[in-house]
Amino acid sequence: MKVIIAIVVIIILTVGIVWLIDKFVPKKIKPVLNILLWCLIIFLGYITYMSVYREIAFNQLKEKRFAVVIDRLIDIRDSELAYKDVKGTYTDNFDTLIKFVETGKVPITQRRDTLVLDEERTAAFGGVETMKTLTLIDTLSYYSVKDSLFKGSDRYKKMMNVGIGKEGAKFTLKAGKIDEFPVFEASIEKSVILDGQESYLIEKENQVISVDGVNGTSLKVGSMDEVFTKGNWPKSYTNKE
C-alpha cells in the first residue's frame, strides 16, 4: 500500500511538472519534455496497476492452495481422532497413522446401567443387602476406519504430503499430553504453501491478523499448547468444519 501511495504521489507531481513546463519552459523544448514526462506517467501508472493486480492474483492463488492444504489437514485430524478412540492417545508418526487407517476398526458401543450387590456396604450394614449401580459398556460391532472416513478413496496413503506449493513438502506431525490429556498438532508453514510467489506478499500474509484470514505463519490443526482439535482457518475456507 505504501508503494502504491508513493507512485500515485509521484504521478500527481509529474502532472504538476508538466503543467509548469507548459507555462514557463520555452516552446522549442516543451515537446521533448512533455513526451518524456507523459512516458513517465504512463510507466508509473502501469507499475501501480501491476502492484494491485499482483496482490489480487496472489490472494486468489492463496485461497486455492490453502483449500487443498486444509482438506488434507482435516483428513489428518479425522484419522487422529479415530486413532485416539481406539488407542487412547494420538500418534506423531504418519506411517503408524496410515497403517491404522488401512486396518483399524472402531468399536460401536452401547452404555447401560445395572444394579448389583454392594458386598462391602452390605457387610457394613450387618447383612442388609445394599445395591449399587454399575455402568456397563457393550461392544455391538465394529466399523472400518478406512471405509468410514475415506469411502473407497486411497488418499489417506499420501496424507503426509502437502501436495501443493514447494515440491516434496510434508506436514509436521506432533503428539503428546497436557495434564494427562492427549494432544496433537499437524502443521505446515505458509511460505511452503506459497512457494514461488513474491517474498513481500508472503511476508505480508505471515503478518495477517484477521477473523477472515489465517492468522500466524502456518496452517495447522490441533495444538500442542492446549486441548484443541480444530484448525486455525476461518469457516470461509471450507464447508467441512
Side-chain angles (χ1 to χ4, degrees), residues 17-216:
I17 292 171
V18 171
W19 180 82
L20 290 173
I21 290 173
D22 186 60
K23 287 289 184 180
F24 303 106
V25 173
K27 290 183 178 181
K28 291 183 179 181
I29 305 176
K30 280 182 183 180
V32 176
L33 288 177
N34 282 339
I35 291 172
L36 291 174
L37 286 171
W38 278 113
C39 286
L40 178 61
I41 291 172
I42 293 170
F43 174 71
L44 292 174
Y46 172 77
I47 292 176
T48 303
Y49 168 79
M50 289 304 298
S51 297
V52 175
Y53 173 77
R54 283 194 190 100
E55 189 152 351
I56 292 173
F58 173 82
N59 287 332
Q60 291 174 341
L61 178 140
K62 175 192 72 177
E63 291 184 3
K64 290 179 181 178
R65 291 192 180 184
F66 278 12
V68 171
V69 174
I70 287 168
D71 280 345
R72 300 205 171 194
L73 285 171
I74 290 173
D75 282 344
I76 294 171
R77 188 272 312 278
D78 291 347
S79 299
E80 284 279 17
L81 290 175
Y83 186 92
K84 176 178 173 290
D85 284 344
V86 175
K87 306 292 187 179
T89 187
Y90 297 113
T91 179
D92 61 0
N93 186 287
F94 274 114
D95 289 337
T96 300
L97 189 59
I98 291 168
K99 184 177 180 180
F100 169 76
V101 171
E102 181 75 40
T103 62
K105 295 185 181 297
V106 178
I108 300 173
T109 60
Q110 174 180 280
R111 298 170 64 92
R112 60 186 176 87
D113 294 333
T114 184
L115 288 174
V116 298
L117 180 67
D118 188 332
E119 295 181 357
E120 290 185 4
R121 292 175 65 85
T122 297
F125 290 127
V128 178
E129 289 189 354
T130 305
M131 308 300 288
K132 63 179 179 181
T133 301
L134 287 182
T135 299
L136 303 178
I137 300 177
D138 299 323
T139 299
L140 303 178
S141 63
Y142 294 85
Y143 67 84
S144 165
V145 176
K146 180 174 64 174
D147 293 341
S148 175
L149 297 182
F150 297 96
K151 304 185 188 322
S153 171
D154 65 351
R155 68 181 186 277
Y156 66 89
K157 294 180 179 180
K158 299 179 180 179
M159 69 169 70
M160 77 292 286
N161 299 327
V162 177
I164 203 164
K166 190 173 183 179
E167 187 175 355
K170 299 182 184 298
F171 292 104
T172 298
L173 184 61
K174 300 177 182 179
K177 288 187 176 182
I178 297 178
D179 297 330
E180 301 305 314
F181 291 99
V183 293
F184 82 97
E185 180 181 298
S187 64
I188 188 67
E189 292 296 314
K190 288 180 179 177
S191 58
V192 174
I193 303 170
L194 300 171
D195 185 61
Q197 302 305 298
E198 297 280 358
S199 58
Y200 78 92
L201 291 172
I202 295 175
E203 181 59 30
K204 182 177 179 180
E205 174 60 31
N206 282 336
Q207 296 174 5
V208 165
I209 300 177
S210 169
V211 295
D212 297 323
V214 178
N215 297 335

Side-chain angles (χ1 to χ4, degrees), residues 1-10 44 47-48 51 200:
M1 182 58 72
K2 291 181 180 179
V3 174
I4 295 174
I5 291 173
I7 293 173
V8 171
V9 170
I10 292 172
L44 292 174
I47 292 176
T48 303
S51 297
Y200 78 92

